[in-house]
Amino acid sequence: MRTDTAAGTLPTREHLPASMAGRPVLDVVIPVHNEEKDLEPCVRRLHGHLARTFPYTFRITVADNASTDRTPEVAAALAAAFPAVRAYRLEEKGRGRALRTAWGASDAPVLAYMDVDLSTDLNALLPLVAPLISGHSDLAIGSRLARASRVVRGPKREFVSRAYNLILRGSLAARFSDAQCGFKAIRRDVAERLLPMVEDTGWFFDTELLVLAERAGLRIHEVPVDWVDDPDSSVHLVRTAVEDLKGVWRVGRALAVGALPLDRLARPFGDDPRDRRLSGVPGGLARQLVGFCVVGALSTLFYLLLYSAFRAGVGPQAANAAALLVSAVANTAANRRLTFGVRGRERAVRHQAQGLVVFAIGLALTSGSLAALDAAAYGEPSHGAELAVLIVANLAATVLRFLLFRAWVFPDQRGDTPAAGPAPGAVPFDGEPTAAMTTTTRTGR
């Protein structure tokens, strides 16, 4: 993968070859459940489009999850009629389960999926997968909410879609625009590391996939799509919305407590300019300074509010010590997670103990400043003068706190991640069909 290692430039990534010993470059999965009516026209239309417009070898995979109608027979007939079509049969329901199984069994370097109703215009398929084929992006999604998208659908679905994406932005800090569009793609090397971390097996599967990818710093490419609502869609809106909200709560809680091993995904897929070290500049300094300033501003405001509250009942020295102690614990926890990127409970107590030592230094600075003010005022200084002196003393303490945090409490938290090879302790992903799945396959183009 690395062909240019000159300082200051990024190594170029190899373009996927047009032919790889009979393996397709793209595998498009169509998850279905009781779709005997729509499956055949969908596959024929998709196959015709790919044969005319796609410049690489391809495969279409029908992933039937526990259909009770003629869907398995239709899928088997299509696999027999087209060499580039294969059919899987799973005995358990769940779109996420179907995608995980089909993607896991595929040997194609680029994996995609689309809904059987083909609501998304197929002209967006090549723009969707092109950044993955070139190596520029890790995942790609179709977006119905982009400015350039052209969408026709009823007000109920429009409201549900926009409300859901607002929930994702507000609760999980998601930055991608459309989590629910059934038109997505992923590089196989990314899927091998990412899929074992995704728990959901239903409709929340791809939302969880995107949230974890984004939190791990992977690159998500968005494509504006033309999309026409299918009035005969079998999706149950209320039940799906409830399951999605449960998934949002589960993932949000796991992210909050640091339970997800996202370090397995941190930049394992090639060079990243943020990993390059500049001479004379410690790695990650700019980002850490920004995070520390934000946390510092909020904790200073918190400290001043606490001081004012405590000052109503006790003297200035006691109020200062109590306010600084409470705000110091909160400041250490926030900087640990947000500024220096330390997740999980490991060494949390030690970090808090070290933070209290830093707090003691800050206490000495601020207490000394208050004592000096009291001596200079020859009496009782005003509350405004106390606050002014504390602000100046806290600024000096903040600079010292950052240096101690970076050099002593959280040293070297920006370790490089190996660019290749499985991460230690990664969940195996063997890429083979499961025992609960039967296959009818004919590949090629």
Side-chain angles (χ1 to χ4, degrees):
M1 291 291 285
R2 295 173 175 80
T3 59
D4 179 8
T5 57
T9 62
L10 286 176
T12 57
R13 298 182 181 181
E14 293 181 359
H15 197 279
L16 293 179
S19 176
M20 300 179 300
R23 289 193 298 149
V25 170
L26 172 67
D27 193 345
V28 182
V29 176
I30 304 174
V32 290
H33 174 74
N34 291 343
E35 297 287 355
E36 62 179 2
K37 176 183 175 181
D38 294 333
L39 179 57
E40 182 173 354
C42 164
V43 171
R44 289 185 177 276
R45 180 181 165 194
L46 176 60
H47 186 278
H49 176 83
L50 289 171
R52 291 191 310 270
T53 66
F54 194 67
Y56 299 98
T57 52
F58 64 85
R59 178 191 295 134
I60 299 172
T61 299
V62 179
D64 169 35
N65 50 108
S67 291
T68 56
D69 62 0
R70 293 186 57 257
T71 298
E73 289 81 359
V74 174
L78 289 167
F82 296 98
V85 175
R86 69 176 177 180
Y88 282 158
R89 166 71 178 180
L90 287 83
E91 300 302 330
E92 295 180 271
K93 288 181 61 175
R95 183 181 67 165
R97 179 179 286 108
L99 289 175
R100 182 197 302 275
T101 304
W103 281 354
S106 179
D107 56 355
V110 177
L111 311 169
Y113 95 87
M114 62 181 60
D115 292 335
V116 70
D117 56 16
L118 293 186
S119 294
T120 305
D121 189 277
L122 292 177
N123 287 322
L125 182 55
L126 184 55
L128 181 79
V129 301
L132 309 187
I133 293 175
S134 69
H136 175 268
S137 300
D138 302 305
L139 299 90
I141 65 173
S143 175
R144 299 162 296 182
L145 303 180
R147 289 183 179 273
S149 299
R150 300 167 183 171
V151 176
V152 178
R153 60 176 166 180
K156 182 170 69 173
R157 285 184 177 272
E158 180 77 12
F159 172 78
V160 169
S161 180
R162 291 188 178 274
Y164 180 63
N165 282 282
L166 284 175
I167 291 172
L168 292 180
R169 288 176 178 269
S171 60
L172 300 179
R175 296 189 299 273
F176 47 85
S177 66
D178 192 351
Q180 294 178 309
C181 183
F183 197 71
K184 296 181 175 69
I186 186 172
R187 290 177 63 96
R188 175 170 170 76
D189 54 349
V190 179
E192 287 176 345
R193 296 190 181 220
L194 187 56
L195 289 182
M197 301 183 191
V198 180
E199 293 185 16
D200 192 81
T201 58
W203 289 97
F204 187 69
F205 170 86
D206 42 355
T207 298
E208 185 173 355
L209 185 83
L210 290 174
V211 170
L212 298 186
E214 188 175 74
R215 286 300 186 97
L218 303 185
R219 178 170 284 169
I220 300 174
H221 176 71
E222 296 199 15
V223 178
V225 297
D226 296 344
W227 194 86
V228 179
D229 190 12
D230 177 15
D232 298 324
S233 174
S234 59
V235 178
H236 192 285
L237 287 180
V238 175
R239 183 169 60 245
T240 301
V242 171
E243 293 301 319
D244 285 346
L245 291 176
K246 290 180 180 178
V248 169
W249 168 255
R250 173 176 56 79
V251 173
R253 182 177 56 184
L255 291 172
V257 301
L260 296 171
L262 297 179
D263 55 305
R264 296 181 190 172
L265 299 174
R267 302 185 180 108
F269 306 112
D271 292 83
D272 191 305
R274 294 168 294 178
D275 292 326
R276 297 189 174 274
R277 299 183 180 274
L278 301 178
S279 59
V281 179
L285 178 60
R287 183 192 62 78
Q288 290 178 354
L289 277 172
V290 172
F292 186 82
C293 288
V294 172
V295 172
L298 294 175
S299 61
T300 298
L301 178 61
F302 182 49
Y303 160 76
L304 292 174
L305 292 173
L306 287 175
Y307 176 81
S308 298
F310 292 151
R311 186 66 177 86
V314 297
Q317 294 289 359
N320 174 62
L324 199 58
L325 176 61
V326 175
S327 61
V329 172
N331 181 278
T332 300
N335 276 307
R336 181 178 187 270
R337 175 66 177 85
L338 302 176
T339 302
F340 297 97
V342 181
R343 298 178 175 87
R345 298 185 177 90
E346 185 179 359
R347 295 194 296 176
V349 175
R350 175 184 174 182
H351 290 155
Q352 281 292 349
Q354 291 173 304
L356 289 177
V357 174
V358 178
F359 148 75
I361 298 174
L363 177 63
L365 281 174
T366 53
S367 297
S369 300
L370 284 174
L373 174 65
D374 187 63
Y378 300 104
E380 185 74 16
S382 67
H383 184 63
E386 288 180 352
L387 288 180
V389 168
L390 286 174
I391 289 174
V392 174
N394 263 289
L395 287 176
T398 296
V399 174
L400 182 59
R401 186 184 303 121
F402 176 75
L403 296 176
L404 289 174
F405 272 177
R406 182 176 172 83
W408 180 49
V409 183
F410 307 110
D412 300 326
Q413 293 300 329
R414 187 183 168 273
D416 294 332
T417 302
V427 180
F429 184 85
D430 56 15
E432 295 297 331
T434 62
M437 175 181 68
T438 58
T439 310
T440 304
T441 308
R442 296 180 66 192
T443 59
R445 181 180 178 185

